[in-house]
Amino acid sequence: MRPFILFCCVFLLVNILSCKNGEKSKKPSASARLKTFRGFPPGIHGCSCYFSTTEKNFRDEKYIFVSNLDSLAYVSINGKVTRLKLASTTREPGTMDERDYEETYTDAIYTVVISLSFKGNVGDEVWWNTGNLRLFFKGEELDNVTFLGECGC
């Protein structure tokens, strides 16, 4: 009976310690970085913005940021594709006009601020843009990436 009780105590201790280690891995990293990801995430259909860090990445459909021009955006933080919600924009809702604007997206942990500069039309209802994407955690900037890409329908 005594070995059984000892075994149970060790088993419980190992489980408790492993749960605490799992919680630590869920905490955001102060060294978080924006990474590229391939293709469009679920929920992005029709009108959208999609940006890459280089023209080669753009041709290869490796994006640093994708949004549905409404309220959702996706970025990859340390290799994990993360869904964000629009918190604010200087763009008129439901419009795509030929001017620069800034948008802020958030989730429960991170904030992403995108500053977009209009460069010109590249097709019917398609606009070429450049800009800057900044990743924040608790007001501290963790990453700052320049991009290029398209917005359109």
Side-chain angles (χ1 to χ4, degrees):
M1 180 75 166
R2 199 164 199 208
F4 178 73
I5 292 173
L6 182 60
F7 172 78
C8 288
C9 289
V10 170
F11 180 76
L12 287 172
L13 182 62
V14 168
N15 280 331
I16 290 170
L17 291 176
S18 67
C19 287
K20 287 186 179 179
N21 287 339
E23 288 173 9
K24 287 180 184 176
S25 67
K26 291 182 182 180
K27 288 184 180 177
S29 170
S31 62
R33 296 289 176 255
L34 294 164
K35 306 287 183 183
T36 60
F37 57 95
R38 192 172 286 281
F40 283 17
I44 304 294
H45 306 287
C47 297
S48 58
C49 286
Y50 37 102
F51 304 129
S52 299
T53 54
T54 66
E55 287 188 32
K56 180 181 181 339
N57 279 351
F58 188 79
R59 285 189 304 273
D60 293 342
E61 298 182 2
K62 292 181 181 175
Y63 302 114
I64 195 80
F65 176 92
V66 175
S67 78
N68 69 354
L69 282 177
D70 180 33
S71 61
L72 295 179
Y74 292 86
V75 295
S76 175
I77 301 172
N78 288 344
K80 181 181 180 219
V81 177
T82 303
R83 179 181 168 163
L84 306 165
K85 289 190 175 190
L86 181 65
S88 68
T89 183
T90 60
R91 178 175 54 88
E92 287 293 320
T95 65
M96 276 304 307
D97 50 15
E98 299 172 356
R99 67 181 186 93
D100 301 349
Y101 62 91
E102 186 171 282
E103 294 185 325
T104 301
Y105 292 86
T106 61
D107 73 353
I109 300 170
Y110 296 103
T111 299
V112 171
V113 176
I114 182 165
S115 301
L116 188 135
S117 298
F118 169 78
K119 295 301 175 189
N121 289 45
V122 293
D124 189 32
E125 295 187 13
V126 180
W127 296 268
W128 188 254
N129 304 281
T130 61
N132 206 323
L133 192 62
R134 299 178 331 200
L135 174 67
F136 293 89
F137 171 68
K138 292 186 177 179
E140 179 184 346
E141 186 172 314
L142 302 179
D143 204 2
N144 188 328
V145 177
T146 58
F147 66 81
L148 51 85
E150 294 177 344
C151 290
C153 296

